[in-house]
């Protein structure tokens, strides 16, 4: 009898490589003490960044065989780390039996090529790992288009070959021959595909703008959930709206945006929109490709900034989120900082966010603080509304539905002369009443 032997896929084992950039030129005071303090801060930040890179690598399905961190004033323009460290890295790869390396910053084409030649192994960078995770997690057609566009832009800038001097597309001596070479052919195919993807995404963007215009016409307020990856945005959305979004303790567990209706006290409604999580050193290609998705926060009335309160790096993560929002041109919004995962907090640090208008401690997993959150949302929505007490004739009872949708119906009493209501309504609806 024939026996079948199942052979599992070979797991990649990689070495994580990072550069801790040291600040120089400090003057005044105890210079040695300041430099030591700056050096320790740089080391701590770099270690935290490598920890995050390790989580990314594991999420992508690879294992970590070792680490190498070098202190430098600047990243080496040719080999990322210094030439001495490259030799040390080659030895480490052999000792750990690693199948490749992952650098903690985006590599230039020259750095990528030089490292591959020197190490004779697979060389990847942080951007490539994030793109790989996004490709695995995208489920909607828009998400797949955005990821493919980002991947092609990344690949286009890293195509190597004989160079411009050997291209067959120009005129003059040395350009006559059988036609374009493989490099030019690849570039042309990628550019054609990028153009096609841009056209398709333009149509998706127009559809999104139509949907957004309908929401604005209905005047339903919108709150956007933003935050660092794995801060608990999807868990919070599920807890508040039963959205059924995937919850997983992994970076970028959910990628595609989700919008659900949250019914607040007084039967008023607000739309909650989940967005893709942010991360340090978020690739420029991704920001550009996902701009239409990320811009959902730009048109929101309220920004709910979900923070992982249990993370020792929460201050850095919060700053990353605000920097990304600034890059997207999102300013002047009411920001509510939600310090999530209170059930896992081990320190006694107070909840601080200087950039937020309000702060709350919550736990999406067990519901702590969510009652206070809905009350705060009600208060924020009331700020631009007018309190009215009116008796509405039964013939105009249809306006009650509009009050529930756009405002907050506090009470209603049916009397012979009509419906006596007490409600908070927006200015345009107040004029009709």
């Amino acid at each position: 009898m024939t026996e079948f032997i199942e052979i599992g896929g070979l797991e990649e084992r990689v070495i994580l490589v990072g550069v801790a950039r040291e600040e120089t030129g400090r003057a005044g005071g105890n210079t040695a003490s300041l430099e030591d303090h700056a050096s320790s801060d740089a080391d701590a930040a770099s270690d935290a960044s490598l920890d995050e890179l390790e989580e990314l690598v594991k999420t992508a399905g690879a294992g970590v065989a070792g680490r190498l961190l070098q202190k430098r004033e600047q990243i080496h323009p040719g080999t990322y780390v210094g030439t001495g460290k490259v030799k040390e890295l080659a030895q480490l790869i052999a000792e750990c039996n690693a199948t490749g390396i992952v650098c903690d910053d985006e590599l230039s084409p020259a750095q990528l090529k030089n490292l591959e030649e020197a190490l004779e192994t697979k060389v990847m960078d942080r951007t490539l790992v994030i793109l790989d995770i996004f490709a695995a997690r995208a489920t909607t057609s828009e998400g797949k288009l955005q990821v493919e566009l980002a991947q092609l832009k990344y690949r286009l800038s890293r195509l190597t070959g004989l160079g411009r001097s050997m291209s067959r597309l120009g005129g003059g001596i040395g350009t006559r021959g059988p036609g374009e070479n493989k490099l030019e052919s690849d570039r042309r195919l990628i550019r054609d595909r990028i153009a096609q993807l841009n056209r398709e995404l333009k149509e998706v963007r127009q559809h999104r703008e139509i949907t957004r215009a309908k929401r604005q016409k209905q005047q339903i307020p919108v709150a956007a959930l933003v935050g660092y990856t794995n801060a608990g945005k999807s868990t919070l959305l599920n807890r508040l709206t039963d959205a059924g979004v995937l919850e997983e303790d992994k970076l970028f567990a959910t990628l595609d945006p989700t919008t659900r209706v949250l019914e607040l006290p007084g039967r008023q409604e607000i739309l909650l929109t989940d967005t893709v999580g942010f991360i340090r050193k978020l690739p420029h290609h991704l920001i550009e490709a996902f701009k239409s998705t990320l811009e959902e926060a730009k048109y929101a009335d309220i920004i709910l900034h979900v923070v992982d309160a249990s993370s020792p790096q929460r201050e850095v993560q919060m700053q990353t989120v605000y920097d990304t929002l600034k890059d997207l041109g999102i300013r002047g919004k009411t920001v509510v900082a939600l310090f999530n995962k209170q059930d896992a907090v081990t320190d006694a640090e107070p909840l601080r966010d200087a950039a937020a208008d309000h702060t709350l401690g919550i736990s999406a997993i067990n519901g702590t603080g969510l009652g206070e959150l809905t009350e705060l949302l009600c208060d924020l929505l009331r700020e631009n509304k007018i309190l009215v007490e009116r008796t509405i004739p039964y013939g105009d009872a249809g306006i009650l539905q509009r009050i529930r949708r756009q405002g907050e119906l506090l009470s209603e009493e049916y009397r012979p002369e009509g419906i006596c209501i007490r409600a908070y309504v927006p200015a345009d609806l107040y004029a009709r009443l």
Side-chain angles (χ1 to χ4, degrees), residues 171-334:
I173 298 172
T175 61
R176 289 179 287 272
E180 63 183 0
N181 58 30
K182 182 69 167 60
L183 174 63
E184 295 293 356
S185 175
D186 289 346
R187 281 179 175 162
R188 177 174 54 81
L189 290 172
I190 290 177
R191 288 195 184 104
D192 290 345
R193 180 60 180 160
I194 286 175
Q196 181 184 349
L197 289 172
N198 279 325
R199 287 193 295 270
E200 293 180 24
L201 280 172
K202 185 178 180 182
E203 294 177 5
V204 173
R205 196 174 297 118
Q206 289 172 345
H207 177 72
R208 186 181 291 278
E209 287 172 357
I210 292 171
T211 305
R212 191 182 295 131
K214 286 181 180 178
R215 291 204 303 256
Q216 291 175 341
K217 187 176 181 181
Q218 293 175 344
Q219 294 185 333
I220 302 177
V222 180
L225 291 166
V226 304
Y228 210 76
T229 181
N230 207 26
K233 298 185 301 300
S234 299
T235 305
L236 179 60
L237 183 67
N238 286 339
R239 185 81 185 192
L240 291 172
T241 66
D242 295 324
V245 177
L246 174 68
E247 297 175 28
E248 209 171 353
D249 189 17
K250 286 185 177 179
L251 305 184
F252 301 114
T254 52
L255 176 59
D256 299 301
T258 304
T259 300
R260 293 291 185 271
V261 176
L262 171 61
E263 189 170 314
L264 297 170
R267 294 185 181 178
Q268 62 178 332
E269 296 177 344
I270 185 170
L271 292 176
L272 288 186
T273 299
D274 191 11
T275 59
V276 64
F278 300 152
I279 197 168
R280 273 176 288 189
K281 305 174 186 178
L282 188 66
H284 176 72
H285 315 285
L286 277 179
I287 294 178
E288 285 299 312
F290 281 79
K291 202 163 188 179
S292 63
T293 303
L294 293 170
E295 279 184 344
E296 284 295 321
K298 190 173 184 178
Y299 299 95
D301 302 288
I302 301 169
I303 301 292
L304 298 179
H305 178 193
V306 184
V307 182
D308 181 358
S310 66
S311 172
Q313 293 292 313
R314 61 175 175 260
E315 296 289 339
V316 177
Q317 294 175 358
M318 288 163 60
Q319 189 58 48
T320 299
V321 171
Y322 286 125
D323 289 343
T324 307
L325 291 176
K326 185 178 179 182
D327 291 341
L328 292 167
I330 300 172
R331 299 181 181 87
K333 302 287 184 181
T334 300

Side-chain angles (χ1 to χ4, degrees), residues 88-116:
E88 185 180 332
L89 183 56
Q91 185 178 352
L92 184 60
I93 291 171
E95 291 174 355
C96 297
N97 196 24
T99 59
I101 69 167
V102 179
C103 297
D104 195 31
D105 295 273
E106 186 169 327
L107 299 176
S108 68
Q111 290 169 334
L112 189 66
K113 182 180 178 182
N114 292 337
L115 283 173
E116 284 179 343

Side-chain angles (χ1 to χ4, degrees), residues 327-355:
D327 291 341
L328 292 167
I330 300 172
R331 299 181 181 87
K333 302 287 184 181
T334 300
V335 178
V336 179
L338 302 175
F339 287 84
N340 190 27
K341 305 187 183 181
Q342 289 295 315
D343 53 302
V345 173
T346 56
D347 58 45
E349 285 289 322
L351 307 182
R352 287 194 303 261
D353 186 353

